[in-house]
Amino acid sequence: MRRLLCWLSISAFALIIISCKDNYFVENDLHGVWQVTSVERLSTGEVTKSAGDLYYMFQRSMVMLGYKHLGVPERMTRYIAHFDLVGVDSIGMGDFRNYTTGEGNNVDREVKVPIEDLHKFGLYQDYTMFGMGLLKQRLILVSDSARIELRKY
């Protein structure tokens, strides 16, 4: 009986450890806040340098794009979506929702974001796949239409 309980305990512990495997990216270097330094639109070659007001924030399977309204510190536009890691060097994201805060940090709305509002972040399609280069404090995302450089914040 004791042997059976011991084996059941070991099996249960092993199952718990195995089931946690899907959370492998919790400690990934991608996670955290990244400040956009530049966005290059590949179709025109136009490069836009960021004024330090655009952010990508990755946590678990969520990405939040943040835009701080300069001169209005209590107002921040937030666009939130899920992202998909594909291997170690590709990431897909899309279907962003608006969670803008206004006075008193109340959510103004929760609506699908028009793609035009995402252009400043280097997103030109509803769902975008990026090749990803991650070098400690620097992240480079490259899609068919944009090259985005970010630094760890």
Side-chain angles (χ1 to χ4, degrees), residues 120-135:
K120 66 178 140 240
F121 294 97
L123 299 167
Y124 300 101
Q125 302 159 359
D126 283 332
Y127 187 85
T128 306
M129 283 298 296
F130 290 97
M132 180 173 64
L134 183 58
L135 305 166

Side-chain angles (χ1 to χ4, degrees), residues 40-57:
E40 178 182 359
R41 188 165 192 167
L42 298 178
S43 63
T44 63
E46 177 187 354
V47 177
T48 305
K49 298 286 183 187
S50 173
D53 56 349
L54 301 175
Y55 299 90
Y56 277 69
M57 291 155 249

Side-chain angles (χ1 to χ4, degrees), residues 5 38 68 75 87 95:
L5 286 175
S38 69
K68 290 173 80 174
R75 183 155 173 82
D95 192 31

Side-chain angles (χ1 to χ4, degrees), residues 61-103:
S61 64
M62 300 285 294
V63 59
M64 181 173 81
L65 307 179
Y67 172 71
K68 290 173 80 174
H69 296 266
L70 299 176
V72 189
E74 67 277 355
R75 183 155 173 82
M76 183 166 186
T77 299
R78 294 180 179 94
Y79 305 136
I80 299 175
H82 289 281
F83 72 87
D84 304 308
L85 284 176
V86 181
V88 294
D89 61 352
S90 296
I91 186 171
M93 61 183 86
D95 192 31
F96 283 88
R97 302 294 168 159
N98 191 338
Y99 291 86
T100 300
T101 55
E103 289 184 30

